[in-house]
Amino acid sequence: QVQLQESGPGLVKPSQTLSLTCTVSGGSITANAYYWSWIRQPPGKGLEWMGAIANSGSTYYSPSLKSRTFISRDTSKNQFTLQLSSVTPEDTAVYYCARADSLTGWRTSGSWGQGTQVTVSS
C-alpha cells in the first residue's frame, strides 16, 4: 500500500518561497498512470487543489496559483516537491500530498499524506 509523507518548514516569512517535499513509499512515482498532487486547506476553508505531476513528469497547475507554483520530482528518492513563491499570510494552510488515478480524482483518493501545517508570518 502506498504511503505519502509531507515534510518541510512549518514557518515561512512573507515574500519567501515555501518548499515542501512528499516522500512516497510502497509505490514508484513513475509507475502506472498516476497523478501526484498537492492540495491545501487554509484555516476555516475548504480544500484547494494546487497542482500535480504525472508519472510521466508532466505538470499541471491551478490557474489561480500557476504564476507562483512549481512542482518537480526526484525519481531517485521517490519524492516530489512543491515550491510556492512570494507567500503571504493567506498561504497559511495545512498542505497535503496525494495520489490519484486521474487529475481530478484526488478528492476521493484514499492515498493522502497526513498533512503538514505551514504558517506564513514574520
Side-chain angles (χ1 to χ4, degrees):
Q1 182 176 356
V2 70
Q3 293 184 321
L4 299 90
Q5 178 67 58
E6 305 88 351
S7 61
L11 180 65
V12 182
K13 295 184 183 300
S15 80
Q16 291 187 341
T17 296
L18 179 164
S19 295
L20 296 175
T21 297
C22 183
T23 300
V24 178
S25 59
S28 172
I29 62 172
T30 62
N32 300 319
Y34 285 122
Y35 295 84
W36 304 87
S37 287
W38 285 100
I39 302 114
R40 69 181 182 179
Q41 185 168 29
K45 297 185 179 180
L47 294 169
E48 179 183 22
W49 180 80
M50 302 180 69
I53 185 164
N55 66 304
S56 64
S58 296
T59 52
Y60 307 84
Y61 298 104
S62 166
S64 64
L65 295 170
K66 185 175 182 178
S67 63
R68 299 196 292 131
T69 307
F70 181 70
I71 297 174
S72 61
R73 67 182 184 179
D74 185 335
T75 57
S76 67
K77 296 181 180 179
N78 214 35
Q79 297 174 332
F80 61 106
T81 62
L82 168 73
Q83 291 181 292
L84 182 67
S85 63
S86 304
V87 297
T88 71
E90 285 67 41
D91 294 309
T92 294
V94 178
Y95 286 76
Y96 300 91
C97 55
R99 184 190 77 171
D101 56 8
S102 68
L103 195 57
T104 57
W106 54 271
R107 194 178 291 274
T108 56
S109 167
S111 300
W112 283 59
Q114 64 182 22
T116 187
Q117 173 70 47
V118 177
T119 300
V120 179
S121 175
S122 56

